[in-house]
Each structure stands twice: as C-alpha cells, then as structure tokens.
Amino acid sequence: MTGRADRVVGTLVAEHGRTFAEEAGIRLRNTPQPLYRTLVMACLLSARIRGSVAVATTRALYESGMRDPRRMAGATWQQRVDALGRGGYRRYDERTATQLGDGAELLTERWGGDLRRMRDAADGDLDELRALLREIPGLGPAGVDIFLREVQRVWPEAAPYLDTKALQGADRLGLPTEPDRLVKIAGNTEPAVLAAALVRAALDRKIVEECLRHTG
C-alpha cells in the first residue's frame, strides 16, 4: 500500500502541485496585501462557480486596483461589479460586489486592514481563528477552509490543514484519508501544495484517472 501510495502522491504533486494562490499570481507572504488577496480568492472559490473563473477574477480585481481592504472598500459597488465581470464572475457578481465591500470595511475598521491582527487575536487557537474568519461577509465554512489551506504555508499553526475537500480527493485516489498519514506519505512536500493537489483530484475526475493510469 505504501509503495503505491507513494507513487500516486508523487505523480499527483508533480503534475498538479500548485497552490491556488500561485495560480492567481499571488506571492504568498505573511504581509497584509497577499494575505488579503488570498482571502478574496477564497471567497470567490467558495461559490458554485468554476475554479478557473474564480482565479481569473482574483487577478482581475488586483489589476483593477482592489488589492487591499482600503482600496476595495473605496471602490464603488459598480466598479467591483465591473471587475468581477472582467474575470468572468457574472453569476454572483452583484451579491459578491456587496460582500467584498462589506468585508473590506469590517477588516479595515476592526483589524486595521491586516489579517495578521486577526491571527494574533486567535493566539494559536485554530477554532477561534475560524470563528473570526466566519465573521467576514461572504466567507462561509468552505471559504474558511480554502483560506486556511493556502495560508498554512505562512501560518504554520494551521498546518497540516487538509480539509474535507482535500480528503475527498485522497479517497478518490485510493489514498489514506488521515491527514497525518497523507503528510507522511508526501514526505518533503509542503502541506499547502499537497492540499491543493488533492483538491484538484476531488474536483476533476480526469486527474484521478491520469494518476491511477500512470501509477498502475
């Protein structure tokens, strides 16, 4: 089992081991702007819309200047709608434009636009951090999972963060569904990279078929 699992994980990570933040052009660091852009991406990805559209829209918002809470809150509702439309995010554009504005105002007023202050307030308690994140308009449980999957790269207290969607991908690949076992099998692979690859397997049956075909 271990030998096969090693091969499956190795193939999966080699072909699909790219975080969604990387795909969106975010150089994730523990600084306010990339953390906020990752949060916006998590909000967009959590809707029932193609991941590629959400990632493209994350880029479109950045290119439109809405790259931090102050600028997002300062943009008009119509400017946010237009940027969402340029990214192809049309199905939920009006509601999402409102949520992004409200969320940016909350982050600015309560946390000074800096998600690191929220992290400090949680003081290493992941459940408390989840609860604080849930207060952001538009960020439900799925969005919180997406955000923490990505930021575990720079917030090590969240790692290893392999949520239900990542474990669903592991199950489809015939891998163990215990996070600690998966991390051990993945060896030196960062948990954030492993999680992103597993999520892609959960979302795309072709990836599962490809990995299983190449590993026998």
Side-chain angles (χ1 to χ4, degrees):
M1 172 64 181
T2 303
R4 175 193 173 278
D6 288 345
R7 294 194 300 274
V8 170
V9 170
T11 299
L12 177 69
V13 170
E15 297 296 326
H16 305 285
R18 188 184 188 201
T19 67
F20 289 90
E22 287 172 330
E23 190 176 336
I26 301 169
R27 291 187 177 183
L28 188 55
R29 300 185 299 276
N30 189 33
T31 53
Q33 191 179 112
L35 289 171
Y36 177 67
R37 291 181 63 201
T38 303
L39 183 79
V40 169
M41 181 190 71
C43 289
L44 299 176
L45 278 169
S46 64
R48 294 179 180 274
I49 200 162
R50 288 199 314 277
S52 58
V53 171
V55 167
T57 304
T58 302
R59 287 179 176 271
L61 287 163
Y62 176 81
E63 291 164 0
S64 299
M66 301 172 214
R67 54 192 65 179
D68 58 45
R70 182 180 61 80
R71 290 184 177 93
M72 183 68 79
T76 67
W77 178 83
Q78 190 60 53
Q79 286 172 328
R80 291 193 293 270
V81 169
D82 291 344
L84 290 164
R86 283 192 290 276
Y89 205 90
R90 296 184 178 87
R91 184 177 176 187
Y92 304 103
D93 55 352
E94 295 187 358
R95 184 182 70 182
T96 302
T98 299
Q99 290 173 336
L100 288 173
D102 292 344
E105 288 180 7
L106 183 149
L107 285 170
T108 300
E109 292 168 5
R110 184 170 179 187
W111 305 108
D114 189 345
L115 283 160
R116 295 175 302 179
R117 295 185 180 183
M118 181 187 290
R119 179 195 184 192
D120 290 343
D123 194 25
D125 185 332
L126 203 55
D127 287 336
E128 176 64 15
L129 181 56
R130 285 194 194 95
L132 292 172
L133 287 165
R134 285 288 307 277
E135 294 178 10
I136 299 171
L139 197 71
V144 169
D145 280 341
I146 294 166
F147 178 73
L148 291 175
R149 277 200 322 250
E150 295 285 324
V151 301
Q152 66 179 313
R153 201 168 210 175
V154 293
W155 289 2
E157 71 273 18
Y161 199 91
L162 301 178
D163 65 328
T164 300
K165 184 61 71 174
L167 297 180
Q168 184 183 84
D171 184 61
R172 289 187 174 182
L173 289 161
L175 295 169
T177 54
E178 297 82 13
D180 289 344
R181 288 184 65 190
L182 285 167
V183 169
K184 185 175 181 179
I185 291 167
N188 293 327
T189 300
E190 291 182 67
V193 172
L194 173 63
L198 289 170
V199 168
R200 288 188 170 90
L203 296 173
D204 190 341
R205 189 171 296 279
K206 290 181 180 178
I207 290 175
V208 174
E209 294 171 351
E210 167 194 305
C211 287
L212 296 181
R213 184 172 62 250
H214 288 168
T215 57

